[in-house]
Amino acid sequence: MSKEIAALVEGLSRPQKTISPKYFYDEKGSQLFDKITELPEYYLTDAELEIMRSCVDEMAALIGKQASLIEFGSGSSLKTRILLEHLEELAAYVPVDISEEHLLASARKIRSEFPGLDVRPVVADFTHSFDLPTPTIMPVKNVVYFPGSTIGNFEHDAAMELLRVMHTEAGEGGALLIGVDLQKDPEIIDAAYNDSAGVTAAFNLNMLRHLNNEFDASFDLDAFEHRAEYDEDEGRVVVELVSQEDQTFEIGDTEFDIADGETILTEYSHKYTLASFAEMAEAASFEVAQVWTDPDELFSVQYCVRK
Ligand code: SAH
Ligand code: AVI
């Protein structure tokens, strides 16, 4: 059994069946995520873009000249373009993503839009260590860029581990520029993960299609439904697939029973306060040097320097 199938089987063998959210992202999943970012209910992208547009000069001044920008989970590099337009003499842009086809197509587009920029895509699962390419020009510093509040998709210990990986990747004198979604009126959050067009439901269910295609699983997509609920006490959205009947499915050679109403946990999306994120950053040896928010304080972008 491959390591990846063994990890999937382990997650599905827990009392709360669980699949890692990284399996959302095959080519179709990346396209569905792009559609999510255009939904009127999904406030995260609009708020982050507004912050980037209005504060990019301050960000560029902090980053300085001749940095290397390493983006974790770059997707379509939507927000990055704003940075790329303002950063001076960038040494390299290194987008890192697990969704190979989508990453390589996005990197090609960036190359054509920013001729002369050294674009070095890396296909990798950023939760495991991976090698960074050596840029042609020696960077003055590394800046890890992690927009979109993807940090929120990790539970506390895993988020800490990832922050430590980014601390290492940033290296001596380096920094982290990170998008962090904030706690707010639960109704706003609920709507963002239960959009009226059903795109988030399709995104959630696409995970099963991805596993059927890539890992020879046998999920019946019509026998599961999307559910997303904000747990205010834990400060996180719980995203699940709810079985609509007693059924079985296979992955690898392992068969699983799932009861009518039983769920598979596919994602958490944690929402932070400025204080709770600062505490995590500090514990990972970063100091939050500057925080920008949109006027409604829905979302934040934070510049963290290595301590
Ligand atoms: N940064 C973009 C996309 C966010 S969606 C934005 O802010 O709009 C999350 C992205 O992270 C997707 O492109 C997905 O393919 C990638 N991703 C998720 N888990 C990953 C992992 N473990 N390793 C590498 N990339 C991952
Ligand atoms: C990528 N990540 C930050 C998104 C989020 O909001 O947690 C993924 C997503 N899940 C449902 N809608 C969007």
Side-chain angles (χ1 to χ4, degrees):
M1 198 190 291
S2 78
K3 262 191 180 171
E4 230 178 333
I5 293 190
L8 282 161
V9 167
E10 187 278 314
L12 288 163
S13 306
R14 294 182 202 166
Q16 168 62 71
K17 292 182 170 61
T18 304
I19 304 175
S20 163
K22 70 183 177 190
Y23 292 106
F24 284 136
Y25 303 98
D26 59 354
E27 176 54 21
K28 172 123 176 132
S30 295
Q31 284 170 10
L32 283 166
F33 180 76
D34 280 352
K35 276 195 170 174
I36 288 177
T37 64
E38 289 163 13
L39 293 168
E41 294 98 331
Y42 196 73
Y43 62 85
L44 291 85
T45 308
D46 286 344
E48 191 172 14
L49 281 171
E50 185 180 355
I51 297 167
M52 295 305 292
R53 286 191 191 109
S54 52
C55 305
V56 67
D57 287 335
E58 286 171 43
M59 294 175 196
L62 286 167
I63 292 171
K65 281 187 187 171
Q66 232 175 293
S68 178
L69 190 70
I70 303 156
E71 181 170 359
F72 277 46
S74 49
S76 294
S77 304
L78 176 69
K79 297 138 202 168
T80 326
R81 286 176 164 76
I82 301 173
L83 273 178
L84 296 179
E85 279 161 11
H86 288 81
L87 291 176
E88 277 186 74
E89 300 167 34
L90 201 60
Y93 170 50
V94 183
V96 182
D97 207 290
I98 203 168
S99 188
E100 179 165 5
E101 245 181 285
H102 199 78
L103 169 68
L104 299 181
S106 299
R108 274 196 299 276
K109 271 178 110 179
I110 293 276
R111 264 196 206 106
S112 69
E113 287 169 40
F114 296 88
L117 178 62
D118 189 8
V119 183
R120 303 286 192 100
V122 175
V123 182
D125 176 345
F126 58 52
T127 60
H128 302 298
S129 62
F130 60 91
D131 290 331
L132 280 178
T134 317
T136 319
I137 302 171
M138 189 62 189
V140 169
K141 67 164 97 146
N142 285 340
V143 175
V144 174
Y145 183 41
F146 196 30
S149 204
T150 303
I151 189 71
N153 299 135
F154 294 85
E155 287 187 77
H156 183 271
D157 290 358
M160 284 300 304
E161 213 172 298
L162 196 50
L163 286 170
R164 288 196 193 101
V165 170
M166 294 181 185
H167 188 270
T168 306
E169 302 289 4
E172 199 61 39
L176 166 69
L177 183 67
I178 184 166
V180 179
D181 196 16
L182 301 176
Q183 293 182 4
K184 59 186 68 65
D185 179 352
E187 275 187 31
I188 298 178
I189 299 177
D190 265 325
Y193 293 82
N194 291 285
D195 62 284
S196 54
V199 183
T200 311
F203 173 72
N204 195 9
L205 280 159
N206 179 64
M207 178 185 273
L208 301 184
R209 188 197 324 267
H210 180 198
L211 295 180
N212 285 352
N213 291 342
E214 205 168 315
F215 298 97
D216 219 15
S218 66
F219 290 104
D220 175 2
L221 270 68
D222 295 329
F224 288 89
E225 269 187 13
H226 165 74
R227 182 196 284 165
E229 281 170 353
Y230 183 54
D231 179 340
E232 212 176 339
D233 295 333
E234 297 285 345
R236 65 187 181 193
V237 183
V238 181
V239 183
E240 296 170 305
L241 288 163
V242 189
S243 178
Q244 298 303 294
E245 58 194 56
D246 291 340
Q247 53 176 321
T248 58
F249 60 84
E250 277 172 31
I251 183 149
D253 293 329
T254 314
E255 190 175 272
F256 294 91
D257 295 319
I258 185 162
D260 187 5
E262 193 182 339
T263 63
I264 302 175
L265 173 66
T266 52
E267 182 181 57
Y268 286 127
S269 193
H270 292 82
K271 310 301 168 193
Y272 301 91
T273 61
L274 294 179
S276 67
F277 184 75
E279 199 179 306
M280 271 177 49
E282 292 270 336
S285 300
F286 280 114
E287 189 187 325
V288 180
Q290 179 118 26
V291 176
W292 301 272
T293 66
D294 55 295
D296 297 324
E297 298 193 353
L298 297 175
F299 200 91
S300 67
V301 178
Q302 312 203 11
Y303 189 76
C304 309
V305 289
R306 273 174 57 118
K307 281 202 285 192

